[in-house]
Amino acid sequence: MSIVVIAEQQAGKLNRATWETIAAAQQLAGGASNVPIAILVVGGGVGAVATELAAAQVKEVVTVESPALEPYTPDGFTSALQQAIEQLAPALILLPHTYQTRDFAPKLAARVDRALITDVTAVKAGGGETVFVRPMFQGKLTADVVPQGPPPHFVTFQIGSFRADQAARGASPAPVRALNVTVDAAQIRQKPEAPFQEAKQAVDLSQAERIVAVGRGIKGQEHLPVAQKLADALGAELAASRPICDAGWLPMERQIGSSGQTVAPKLYVALGISGAIQHVVGMKGARTIVAVNKDADAPIFEVADYGIAGDLFEIVPAIVAELQK
């Protein structure tokens, strides 16, 4: 068995979710030397990204470069990756479950007529087979899925399911080599424009290292500055559960959960958030979770590493005061 991780980069900047997928690949390989891992990088100019990825403990980093691949288009990527997969002949193809992956991966899997399992949160062994675990019904249930048919099988991993810092680094840089593929620009039907930005203050919470999130316990929009002061003191981004964004107290771009963003920061502080499953599925990958809630029986305490049962309007100012010291 061999594994290929398809890295995601834009304008020479690597998406951190790629390192999470590398960690998943290394877990699947289980340290076995007979399960080689290759990282595949596609784009118009990926030399710097390939050098960055060569730090991983993998067999090699493979690049596919063409002017027709920058900017990203599903037609261009599907054509290039199909050729690359034919040359590498892996058993598994792993990708981060990003917006870009969701755009081209189904097309690519259909093109090569192979199975695709999406939004995987865990991997386990069962009956001599590799079993992939993925959520169903907005995280209320999970399904154990085994791909059928001949390899390669495509698998996308939910952001936050694996930690980027758990990806093993090699003692020396992995070799980097280029694949020879031909991408016909005339066959690319899409004409992409500049990436959409809803507003100047738009934020990608999936890249944040620290997040302070608020829920119904904040009581009113006028109390948001209490949470903002804590976020400022921590150097964190401010986020919220769905009811807060539905009420218009914070923009939708700051919603975390099954219908918002999925995050995996180093620190996640939940203020007045009960811990409904729809919210938890979006933040359970955080390395350290701190919850503040008046209800000592709130479900959020089941996933929290540290919990404070008390009034956030008393506790948060005290924490800010200590941080400012």
Side-chain angles (χ1 to χ4, degrees):
M1 185 178 79
S2 62
I3 300 173
V4 165
V5 174
I6 298 179
E8 180 169 316
Q9 62 85 33
Q10 291 186 1
K13 183 177 181 182
L14 185 68
N15 189 321
R16 190 181 69 173
T18 296
W19 283 106
E20 298 177 9
T21 310
I22 293 170
Q26 291 172 338
Q27 177 177 314
L28 277 166
S33 58
N34 62 334
V35 183
I37 300 172
I39 304 174
L40 178 58
V41 192
V42 181
V46 297
V49 173
T51 301
E52 180 182 351
L53 289 168
Q57 186 175 310
V58 295
K59 178 185 177 183
E60 62 178 350
V61 177
V62 181
T63 62
V64 172
E65 296 190 74
S66 169
L69 297 173
E70 193 68 44
Y72 159 80
T73 60
D75 277 352
F77 267 50
T78 299
S79 175
L81 288 169
Q82 181 183 7
Q83 297 174 62
I85 290 168
E86 290 172 353
Q87 294 182 48
L88 296 173
L92 283 173
I93 300 169
L94 311 183
L95 310 94
H97 192 74
T98 62
Y99 289 115
Q100 181 171 292
T101 293
R102 279 178 266 185
D103 189 40
F104 76 83
K107 176 184 176 73
L108 176 60
R111 176 74 62 84
V112 299
D113 194 23
R114 294 296 185 269
L116 168 64
I117 304 174
T118 61
D119 210 21
V120 168
T121 57
V123 179
K124 60 184 181 181
E129 297 179 299
T130 300
V131 179
F132 298 96
V133 182
R134 65 180 309 275
M136 298 177 64
F137 305 112
Q138 293 190 327
K140 294 182 176 66
L141 297 173
T142 59
D144 291 349
V145 183
V146 177
Q148 300 294 305
H153 301 131
F154 293 81
V155 181
T156 73
F157 286 90
Q158 186 181 106
I159 293 174
S161 298
F162 291 82
R163 283 171 41 182
D165 61 354
Q166 289 183 332
R169 269 57 171 180
S172 59
V176 179
R177 69 181 176 100
L179 284 184
N180 184 23
V181 304
T182 302
V183 181
D184 185 358
Q187 298 300 314
I188 297 177
R189 297 166 294 177
Q190 300 87 13
K191 303 297 180 184
E193 297 179 353
F196 172 73
Q197 294 290 333
E198 183 177 346
K200 289 183 178 179
Q201 66 270 25
V203 60
D204 182 3
L205 294 175
S206 68
Q207 303 300 310
E209 292 194 352
R210 291 174 293 278
I211 292 175
V212 173
V214 296
R216 296 178 190 270
I218 201 71
K219 295 183 179 179
Q221 187 174 11
E222 67 276 13
H223 296 140
L224 285 176
V226 174
Q228 185 64 64
K229 288 180 181 178
L230 177 58
D232 293 341
L234 290 169
E237 293 286 354
L238 186 64
S241 60
R242 179 171 179 171
I244 302 304
C245 296
D246 282 348
W249 298 355
L250 282 175
M252 298 302 295
E253 68 203 34
R254 294 189 178 271
Q255 179 185 328
I256 291 174
S258 58
S259 56
Q261 295 199 46
T262 300
V263 299
K266 293 181 179 178
L267 174 65
Y268 189 90
V269 182
L271 304 177
I273 294 176
S274 63
I277 186 62
Q278 290 86 353
H279 182 79
V280 171
V281 296
M283 46 69 76
K284 63 182 180 181
R287 187 185 309 178
T288 301
I289 299 172
V290 179
V292 180
N293 199 295
K294 289 179 69 174
D295 181 4
D297 296 320
I300 192 68
F301 290 125
E302 296 177 8
V303 297
D305 299 286
Y306 300 94
I308 304 174
D311 189 341
L312 72 87
F313 297 106
E314 297 176 1
I315 293 165
V316 173
I319 295 175
V320 172
E322 290 298 317
L323 289 168
Q324 290 175 341
K325 290 180 183 180

